Amino acid sequence: MDKATTYDDALGDLFAKNAETSPHNAYTDRPAMLKLAGDVSGARILDVGCGAGHYAAELSARGAQVVGVEGSATLLRHARARLNGDAELLLHDLEEPLDFAADASFDGVVCALVFHHVRNRARLLDELRRVLRPGGWLLISVTHPTADWHHFGGSYFSHDWSDLAVADGKFSIHYQRMPLETFLGELLAAGFVLEKLIEPRPTAGLREIDEARYDKLHRAPSFLAVKLQRP
């Protein structure tokens, strides 16, 4: 991944802190993805773009053997502190082949809110299919295309690389917009079978601390999440 899409330095520190308790990460995407994963006890799982290790920590606590890969040295430092040796964590550019992993060596793959940052998504999907065992599952979440359309305007069908301002404009997150047909089309073209698609809403816990944000995220989708199977 190029520098523009990697959460390094101060942006990485900010993301690691916000992901701990933010309405979008802690109360919306992460609970939805973990629910899609289901029972992971004894499973070997690859966490692609593991960020600050929040998903890996949850999966490990539920009995999974986790290997996390991350392109940001800053985020990987946070992940190592959070996991404290409970997962294997590797610095790896997702634009490159997953040459550290053998064929059919994982039962599941989690790719949370990173897919839209990758330029060579076709190669990444080919690699994920290669390292998954037959019958293994792939979880992917992305920014919801209608949320992007609402925020950036223009055409819903835009494939523009865009910059989303965060922290009152101090930083920006660089990623590619894509309509639903592109997102699903790429996954199906890579040979995966769609099992379930959801538009995550925040859990009830958010209502207790921020009722306005809870109501807003129940009216307009922020993320899209899918579970697929490798035949």
Side-chain angles (χ1 to χ4, degrees):
M1 295 167 71
D2 64 40
K3 187 71 175 176
T5 62
T6 305
Y7 294 14
D8 273 322
D9 304 323
L11 176 59
D13 291 334
L14 175 71
F15 177 81
K17 179 181 179 181
N18 286 351
E20 185 76 24
T21 58
S22 77
H24 291 87
N25 296 99
Y27 291 93
T28 307
D29 184 72
R30 198 152 66 238
M33 290 285 274
L34 292 170
K35 185 175 181 179
L36 280 177
D39 182 5
V40 297
S41 180
R44 189 164 190 258
I45 297 175
L46 179 64
D47 187 355
V48 177
C50 67
H54 293 89
Y55 298 81
E58 290 277 3
L59 293 166
S60 178
R62 297 177 188 204
Q65 178 189 354
V66 182
V67 176
V69 295
E70 173 56 50
S72 164
T74 303
L75 287 176
L76 199 63
R77 173 171 51 82
H78 285 282
R80 285 176 173 150
R82 176 165 284 102
L83 271 299
N84 194 29
D86 288 339
E88 181 182 355
L89 300 173
L90 306 172
L91 184 65
H92 184 81
D93 185 348
L94 294 182
E95 301 290 353
E96 300 299 326
L98 305 177
D99 50 11
F100 59 86
D103 294 358
S105 56
F106 289 95
D107 300 299
V109 172
V110 173
C111 184
L113 302 179
V114 70
F115 188 67
H116 45 297
H117 293 293
V118 178
R119 294 184 181 276
N120 196 342
R121 294 190 297 271
R123 180 163 65 182
L124 175 60
L125 289 172
D126 285 345
E127 282 290 276
L128 297 182
R129 193 175 191 278
R130 177 183 68 80
V131 304
L132 272 172
R133 64 168 177 78
W137 48 263
L138 168 62
L139 304 184
I140 295 188
S141 62
V142 293
T143 301
H144 200 290
T146 61
D148 285 335
W149 184 30
H150 182 265
H151 180 81
F152 293 110
S155 171
Y156 165 82
F157 297 102
S158 170
H159 290 79
D160 290 345
W161 282 85
S162 302
D163 293 287
L164 178 66
V166 296
D168 296 323
K170 187 177 181 180
F171 303 104
S172 63
I173 298 172
H174 191 64
Y175 64 95
Q176 188 175 23
R177 295 173 57 182
M178 66 183 88
L180 179 61
E181 67 179 16
T182 297
F183 175 59
L184 286 182
E186 290 181 1
L187 298 173
L188 299 178
F192 291 96
V193 176
L194 180 64
E195 182 177 321
K196 191 169 186 178
L197 180 151
I198 62 172
E199 295 165 302
R201 275 80 112 190
T203 58
L206 181 60
R207 173 181 269 169
E208 299 174 7
I209 61 172
D210 191 338
E211 187 170 2
R213 183 64 62 88
Y214 175 86
D215 290 341
K216 181 179 179 181
L217 290 173
H218 268 268
R219 292 194 304 270
S222 54
F223 300 127
L224 189 65
V226 293
K227 184 173 187 177
L228 306 110
Q229 189 179 84
R230 182 212 190 280

